[in-house]
Amino acid sequence: MSGLWVFVCGPSGAGKDSVMGWAATQLAARQDIVFARRMVTRPALPGSDHDPVTVRQFEQSMAAGGLVWRWEAHGFHYGIEARYAAQVAAGKIVVVNGSRAHASGLDATAQVRVVQIVADAAQLASRLEQRGRDAPHEVNRRLARNALFKDLRADHTILNQGALADAGRQLVDYLVAGSL
């Protein structure tokens, strides 16, 4: 029995970490659904859920075969540890907070699904400004980048415009649906 990778992606400010965190809490008792931790070459910041590593640590892990997925975005390296591949092989659903650029390059297979979380441009801009991680020109660059992914192939799309629980419930429902 083979499991499944579910890549959750979307624009900066769409609320991927928040939606995934809400869903992970709701599904905590489910042994068949695992939320992968990302390694990122960026310090831990408020509102971001990842394991911070140095570039050297990342490169060493990659050279040792310790990463099953890796990509670059916004000047940082992102990776998913190879240990999660064993969980997919054991029949589990492994949920990854991924990149749209990485997801768009994935081959459509029976083992990979892409879930896109979106919000309108005004909502994204507001969230990015509230987050306070980026200078105004960086916020504009992140928003402009969204045009590159307007045709992203997604198996499911979640609109995160209202209450977090509404978007979180959509992700939970998708993950527990038999149609995955």
Side-chain angles (χ1 to χ4, degrees):
M1 165 161 120
S2 187
L4 183 63
W5 293 100
V6 176
F7 282 86
V8 177
C9 58
S12 296
K16 296 175 299 290
D17 284 326
S18 297
V19 172
M20 290 178 66
W22 191 94
T25 299
Q26 300 301 307
L27 296 169
R30 295 281 303 253
Q31 299 297 309
D32 60 327
I33 300 175
V34 176
F35 286 80
R37 300 272 310 162
R38 294 181 297 177
M39 296 172 53
V40 184
T41 59
R42 178 182 71 209
L45 299 168
S48 182
D49 186 22
H50 69 273
D51 295 329
V53 295
T54 66
V55 171
R56 182 167 186 216
Q57 289 169 321
F58 188 91
E59 289 171 346
Q60 287 173 334
S61 184
M62 188 172 64
L67 300 177
V68 65
W69 302 103
R70 67 179 182 83
W71 62 92
E72 293 181 35
H74 308 294
F76 299 104
H77 299 282
Y78 294 74
I80 303 299
E81 292 181 86
R83 65 187 170 99
Y84 291 109
Q87 294 180 328
V88 170
K92 295 184 180 188
I93 296 170
V94 176
V95 184
V96 174
N97 184 339
S99 151
R100 292 173 295 170
H102 179 74
S104 67
L106 295 173
D107 292 331
T109 72
Q111 276 193 294
V112 175
R113 299 290 183 278
V114 175
V115 172
Q116 182 174 218
I117 298 177
V118 298
D120 70 33
Q123 185 81 9
L124 295 174
S126 174
R127 289 176 182 164
L128 289 173
E129 289 167 9
Q130 289 174 3
R131 188 166 74 177
R133 283 196 327 220
D134 301 304
H137 72 278
E138 282 295 312
V139 169
N140 290 334
R141 187 180 66 76
R142 285 179 182 266
L143 293 171
R145 186 173 183 261
N146 294 335
L148 299 173
F149 302 102
K150 64 181 171 130
D151 295 324
L152 178 69
R153 176 200 61 82
D155 298 291
H156 186 69
T157 299
I158 296 170
L159 179 62
N160 185 19
Q161 285 285 117
L164 175 60
D166 294 341
R169 173 59 46 206
Q170 290 178 59
L171 181 57
V172 167
D173 290 347
Y174 179 78
L175 293 173
V176 300
S179 62
L180 281 178

